Amino acid sequence: MPVASRPAPTFTETARRAQLIEAAIDTVNEVGYHRASLAEIARRAQVAKSAVLYYFPSKEALLLHVVEHVFTALDERLVVAVAAASGAVDRLRTYAETYIDYVDTHRSELTAGLEIVVSHRTPDGTPLYLTGAEEDTALLRRILGEGMEQGLFRRMPLRTAVDIVEAVLDASATTLQRDRHADLAPFRDQGVAVLMAGLAAPTRS
Amino acid sequence: MPVASRPAPTFTETARRAQLIEAAIDTVNEVGYHRASLAEIARRAQVAKSAVLYYFPSKEALLLHVVEHVFTALDERLVVAVAAASGAVDRLRTYAETYIDYVDTHRSELTAGLEIVVSHRTPDGTPLYLTGAEEDTALLRRILGEGMEQGLFRRMPLRTAVDIVEAVLDASATTLQRDRHADLAPFRDQGVAVLMAGLAAPTRS
Amino acid sequence: MPVASRPAPTFTETARRAQLIEAAIDTVNEVGYHRASLAEIARRAQVAKSAVLYYFPSKEALLLHVVEHVFTALDERLVVAVAAASGAVDRLRTYAETYIDYVDTHRSELTAGLEIVVSHRTPDGTPLYLTGAEEDTALLRRILGEGMEQGLFRRMPLRTAVDIVEAVLDASATTLQRDRHADLAPFRDQGVAVLMAGLAAPTRS
Amino acid sequence: MPVASRPAPTFTETARRAQLIEAAIDTVNEVGYHRASLAEIARRAQVAKSAVLYYFPSKEALLLHVVEHVFTALDERLVVAVAAASGAVDRLRTYAETYIDYVDTHRSELTAGLEIVVSHRTPDGTPLYLTGAEEDTALLRRILGEGMEQGLFRRMPLRTAVDIVEAVLDASATTLQRDRHADLAPFRDQGVAVLMAGLAAPTRS
DNA sequence: CATGAATGAGCATTCATTCAT
DNA sequence: AATGAATGAATGCTCATTCAT
């Protein structure tokens, strides 16, 4: 029984917001964050500019909503998938494969979300990926930390390991930015293989 | 008898252009591509807005010049360094280490250059990394292709291998975007190690 | 048999209109005429924006209603009070004291009403105090005209005398705009004294 | 030898700024503060909207400049005139006459300046006449305070006296808002007379 | 009786660019 | 060689108003 501090959204509202988020995603993908103006977004949604601001308090809020929308869903998917795996190695592989699968099946969302994360700045110039970065990577940090502790993964600063894994996984989206219809299978197979082999604790010889 | 299609640049012209490129780099690093306006760049260069357009035909041209400036220098460095190494494995390691060293010693150039590459779009919406991508990665493609042919590297589509290597190497710049004074040593050591181990041809067991 | 050109207002209608007028007054006082938008007024009345326009044909009509509401009540009070006094001097003093007392006891109404009168313009730019000014000041004109005729007041153009008196009396509201809890007693005592002494016919010396 | 922290304004700049201030004054007088948009001001100045913001950082800055422009000049005039008078009574009379004379000879400036002062609000809703009110009325406060101390003026709170005097003097501008070609002579003669007689210390009878 | 939805006109402001000097 | 002046197009956003329900 949720306490509704603000009234439950109407059917139209839910639909419109979804439509606008979709339009924002399309716009960012087609013209880039830099040129994704309210006018462009409204044009794609086939509504007036002011209608966008009727459902979102500002253009910024809409774009941040896109980011939240995309990465919350991704994170939920990852949490569920990883929970079904046991052992750091298996969990990491599951994490990586699930991540790339998600990118594969949510191409436009992911490319737009990443472009916004990379390009957006708060009014004082701080990029988005600096705010709340800790919690965003919590799951990955846990897997990698655990694996290193158990001697399964190459020892290195957690931060570094996270950066490397994310760099490779996000590269799958970059591939799509280059060609939105690209086949992600080779990247999934080889990218994950490289990560697993690269991160595996080196064997004494 | 060289045909001078345009007159040799004067000393001041060369100096001014260098100064403006530097100002553009600083601006992009401080406020991001999105807010890097001509006015901001001119302010940092301590010249009038119109002076910028006196030396560069447009703002876009200036920013593209920054990209060229940065990546040409990086490429030259890579070519020289790799030439001194022998064998695909050693050449890849040299490539990777030189790359990260260059990022380390040219922090502002690299972070700005990458931000522009990622954010800039041509008027029709095409991102920068789609134009001339082939030649930009020529050296890396040669090293990886050679290594795979010789059975030294894990076999995969060349495109995929290039993407993975570049993703990891570029992540060093992302680290700096997060903290411009970050110590890159751990990333260099571990990043390269992960790449080498990950790309090594899997041993039959 | 009265012809009902418009049907008698229902109870809720009367109540709603009063509530909206009150909300408009509060809004003008809090944010000023310039920023008193329909949205702000509706928010304070806790109704939807469109509800405001259900009871008033336009925002302008609502604000003009506030003015009418305030100054009609003030005028009625003045008429009653002045009727009880005899002689131009006494009537003027009564007028002035009643005016300031009314301001004192209807602070928010008066300050809002005056701000609207001062700031509002018809679409063609005409200020409010140009429309129907004659009848608004009828009572004061009569008192002053009579007093001058009888040699009780300093002789001057009626218009000038009215302007002076109104300026001083309205200044009591200005005092409240500065501090809504200000004590108006000194202003009532001294303001009236100054007016009476100043307007008194000069004695031959 | 003034130290120029910013470069001396060019001839064009000085001229344009004056022209824009004039256009702003005309606009406020013609359509009121509320409707005095950048577009209207620019139209009257026969320049592009952006040209206004080339010379003034914002619309607000331009309007505040008008206020400063008007009231600084008025204050200077008052200071000079009052300095030539001796005795509180004479000084008050001089103050009042000079004030109204200034209004008379600078009709459009004064009406516009007053409308801005009355209507403008800072972003948090504070009216202009609340900021720095102390210093604006310094001269008048001094005259009235001195006169009351010497028993020449009716004793009352300084604030009240200032409010009364200013109300009457400002009413001269209100007269002009009603009719920009009105003859101010009767108001000057009678208004000043009323003030002097009204403020004079009451004689014991 | 009252509202949520939607809009078009207008707003102040930013910006890359042009041009005469 | 360099600039100040000026602009037109675009941007994010506000607002009074309309209308179907």
Side-chain angles (χ1 to χ4, degrees):
Chain A
M1 264 189 302
V3 176
S5 65
R6 52 167 161 170
T10 64
F11 174 72
T12 344
E13 178 167 353
T14 311
R16 266 276 188 266
R17 286 174 68 99
Q19 178 200 6
L20 289 172
I21 286 179
E22 203 184 335
I25 288 170
D26 291 348
T27 309
V28 169
N29 280 327
E30 283 170 42
V31 301
Y33 173 91
H34 188 50
R35 296 187 213 272
S37 65
L38 267 185
E40 284 292 311
I41 295 171
R43 195 169 62 73
R44 276 172 182 75
Q46 307 217 62
V47 295
K49 263 193 307 180
S50 46
V52 180
L53 295 166
Y54 179 74
Y55 288 102
F56 293 92
S58 67
K59 175 193 153 184
E60 185 183 31
L62 168 55
L63 293 182
L64 294 187
H65 226 86
V66 170
V67 170
E68 202 200 292
H69 169 75
V70 170
F71 290 104
T72 301
L74 168 58
D75 198 53
E76 279 169 11
R77 178 79 67 96
L78 288 171
V79 167
V80 170
V82 165
S86 59
V89 171
D90 218 41
R91 282 219 276 274
L92 179 58
R93 185 191 313 276
T94 305
Y95 183 98
E97 285 173 348
T98 308
Y99 195 110
I100 297 180
D101 273 344
Y102 191 86
V103 172
D104 195 10
T105 52
H106 299 76
R107 293 169 175 237
S108 51
E109 284 99 317
L110 247 291
T111 49
L114 275 178
E115 168 134 14
I116 296 171
V117 166
V118 164
S119 294
H120 185 82
R121 304 284 177 115
T122 59
D124 69 317
T126 321
L128 251 195
Y129 49 79
L130 293 197
T131 63
E134 291 293 297
E135 55 186 272
D136 287 351
T137 59
L139 179 57
L140 182 54
R141 291 171 73 87
R142 228 176 307 127
I143 297 173
L144 289 170
E146 184 190 351
M148 284 195 251
E149 240 170 60
Q150 298 171 353
L152 300 170
F153 294 152
R154 186 184 297 269
R155 290 197 178 278
M156 67 180 81
L158 203 44
R159 170 91 265 170
T160 305
V162 168
D163 282 354
I164 291 172
V165 174
E166 293 216 307
V168 173
L169 296 181
D170 286 348
S172 62
T174 309
T175 299
L176 294 181
Q177 277 174 325
R178 209 153 31 212
D179 170 15
R180 59 208 308 250
H181 300 301
D183 177 14
L184 234 44
F187 196 96
R188 180 183 50 230
D189 297 341
Q190 304 302 328
V192 174
V194 168
L195 271 185
M196 298 312 294
L199 285 170
T203 53
R204 306 263 171 158
S205 60
Chain B
M1 263 194 304
V3 175
S5 65
R6 52 168 161 169
T10 66
F11 173 73
T12 47
E13 177 167 353
T14 312
R16 266 275 190 265
R17 288 172 68 98
Q19 177 199 8
L20 289 173
I21 286 179
E22 202 183 335
I25 288 171
D26 290 349
T27 308
V28 169
N29 280 326
E30 283 171 42
V31 303
Y33 173 90
H34 191 51
R35 296 184 214 272
S37 66
L38 262 190
E40 284 291 309
I41 295 170
R43 195 169 62 74
R44 276 174 183 77
Q46 308 216 60
V47 297
K49 258 192 315 181
S50 43
V52 180
L53 295 171
Y54 179 75
Y55 287 103
F56 293 92
S58 70
K59 178 194 157 185
E60 185 182 29
L62 168 56
L63 292 183
L64 295 188
H65 239 86
V66 169
V67 171
E68 201 199 295
H69 168 77
V70 170
F71 290 103
T72 301
L74 168 57
D75 197 52
E76 279 168 10
R77 176 77 66 96
L78 288 171
V79 168
V80 170
V82 165
S86 59
V89 170
D90 218 41
R91 283 224 276 275
L92 179 58
R93 186 191 312 276
T94 304
Y95 183 98
E97 284 174 347
T98 307
Y99 195 110
I100 297 180
D101 272 344
Y102 191 86
V103 172
D104 195 10
T105 52
H106 298 76
R107 294 173 174 233
S108 51
E109 283 99 320
L110 249 291
T111 48
L114 276 178
E115 168 133 14
I116 296 171
V117 166
V118 164
S119 295
H120 185 82
R121 303 283 178 115
T122 59
D124 69 319
T126 322
L128 250 195
Y129 45 74
L130 293 197
T131 62
E134 292 293 298
E135 55 188 88
D136 287 352
T137 58
L139 178 56
L140 183 54
R141 291 171 73 85
R142 228 176 304 127
I143 296 172
L144 289 170
E146 183 190 350
M148 282 195 252
E149 241 170 57
Q150 297 171 356
L152 299 170
F153 295 152
R154 186 184 297 268
R155 291 198 175 278
M156 67 182 80
L158 203 43
R159 171 88 266 170
T160 304
V162 168
D163 283 354
I164 292 172
V165 173
E166 293 215 307
V168 172
L169 296 180
D170 286 348
S172 62
T174 307
T175 300
L176 293 182
Q177 278 172 329
R178 206 153 32 211
D179 170 14
R180 59 209 306 250
H181 300 300
D183 178 13
L184 236 44
F187 196 95
R188 180 183 50 231
D189 297 343
Q190 305 303 328
V192 174
V194 168
L195 271 185
M196 298 313 294
L199 286 170
T203 53
R204 307 263 169 157
S205 60
Chain C
M1 259 192 308
V3 174
S5 66
R6 51 169 161 168
T10 66
F11 173 73
T12 48
E13 177 167 354
T14 312
R16 267 274 190 266
R17 288 172 68 97
Q19 175 199 10
L20 289 173
I21 286 179
E22 200 183 338
I25 288 171
D26 290 348
T27 309
V28 168
N29 280 326
E30 283 171 41
V31 303
Y33 172 90
H34 190 51
R35 297 185 213 274
S37 65
L38 262 191
E40 284 290 309
I41 295 170
R43 196 169 61 73
R44 277 174 181 74
Q46 307 217 62
V47 297
K49 258 193 315 180
S50 42
V52 180
L53 296 171
Y54 180 76
Y55 287 101
F56 293 92
S58 69
K59 177 194 157 186
E60 186 182 28
L62 168 56
L63 293 183
L64 295 187
H65 239 86
V66 170
V67 171
E68 201 199 293
H69 168 76
V70 170
F71 291 102
T72 301
L74 168 58
D75 198 53
E76 280 168 9
R77 177 79 64 96
L78 288 170
V79 168
V80 169
V82 165
S86 59
V89 170
D90 218 40
R91 282 224 276 275
L92 179 58
R93 185 193 313 276
T94 304
Y95 184 98
E97 283 173 349
T98 308
Y99 195 110
I100 296 180
D101 273 343
Y102 192 85
V103 172
D104 196 10
T105 52
H106 298 75
R107 294 171 175 237
S108 51
E109 284 97 320
L110 250 290
T111 49
L114 275 179
E115 167 132 15
I116 297 171
V117 166
V118 163
S119 295
H120 186 82
R121 303 282 179 117
T122 59
D124 69 320
T126 321
L128 250 195
Y129 44 76
L130 293 198
T131 61
E134 292 294 297
E135 55 188 88
D136 287 352
T137 58
L139 177 57
L140 183 54
R141 292 172 73 86
R142 229 176 304 128
I143 297 172
L144 290 169
E146 182 191 353
M148 283 194 251
E149 242 170 56
Q150 298 172 355
L152 299 170
F153 295 152
R154 186 184 296 269
R155 291 199 174 276
M156 66 181 83
L158 204 42
R159 169 90 267 172
T160 304
V162 168
D163 283 353
I164 292 172
V165 174
E166 292 216 308
V168 172
L169 295 181
D170 286 348
S172 62
T174 308
T175 300
L176 293 181
Q177 277 172 328
R178 208 154 31 212
D179 170 15
R180 60 207 306 250
H181 300 300
D183 177 15
L184 236 44
F187 196 95
R188 180 184 50 232
D189 297 342
Q190 305 301 329
V192 174
V194 168
L195 272 184
M196 298 312 294
L199 285 170
T203 52
R204 306 265 172 155
S205 60
Chain D
M1 266 190 302
V3 175
S5 65
R6 53 167 161 169
T10 64
F11 173 73
T12 342
E13 178 168 353
T14 311
R16 265 276 189 268
R17 287 174 67 99
Q19 177 200 6
L20 289 171
I21 286 179
E22 203 183 335
I25 288 170
D26 291 349
T27 309
V28 168
N29 280 328
E30 283 171 41
V31 301
Y33 173 91
H34 188 50
R35 294 188 215 271
S37 67
L38 267 186
E40 283 293 310
I41 295 171
R43 195 168 62 73
R44 276 173 182 74
Q46 307 217 60
V47 296
K49 259 192 310 178
S50 46
V52 180
L53 296 166
Y54 179 75
Y55 288 101
F56 292 91
S58 67
K59 176 194 152 183
E60 185 183 31
L62 168 55
L63 293 182
L64 294 187
H65 225 87
V66 170
V67 170
E68 201 200 292
H69 169 75
V70 170
F71 290 102
T72 302
L74 168 57
D75 197 53
E76 279 168 12
R77 177 79 66 97
L78 289 170
V79 168
V80 169
V82 165
S86 59
V89 170
D90 218 39
R91 282 220 276 274
L92 179 58
R93 187 192 311 277
T94 305
Y95 183 98
E97 284 174 347
T98 309
Y99 194 109
I100 296 180
D101 272 344
Y102 191 87
V103 172
D104 195 10
T105 52
H106 298 77
R107 293 170 176 238
S108 52
E109 283 100 319
L110 246 290
T111 48
L114 275 178
E115 167 134 14
I116 296 171
V117 166
V118 165
S119 294
H120 184 82
R121 303 284 177 116
T122 59
D124 69 316
T126 322
L128 251 194
Y129 50 77
L130 293 197
T131 63
E134 292 292 297
E135 55 186 274
D136 287 352
T137 59
L139 178 57
L140 182 54
R141 293 172 72 85
R142 226 175 308 126
I143 296 172
L144 289 170
E146 184 190 351
M148 282 196 252
E149 239 170 60
Q150 296 172 356
L152 300 169
F153 294 153
R154 185 185 297 269
R155 292 198 174 277
M156 66 182 82
L158 203 43
R159 170 90 266 172
T160 304
V162 168
D163 282 354
I164 292 172
V165 173
E166 293 216 307
V168 173
L169 296 181
D170 286 347
S172 62
T174 309
T175 299
L176 293 181
Q177 277 174 326
R178 208 152 31 211
D179 170 14
R180 59 209 306 250
H181 300 299
D183 177 13
L184 234 43
F187 196 95
R188 180 184 50 232
D189 298 342
Q190 305 303 328
V192 174
V194 168
L195 272 185
M196 298 312 295
L199 285 170
T203 53
R204 307 261 169 162
S205 62

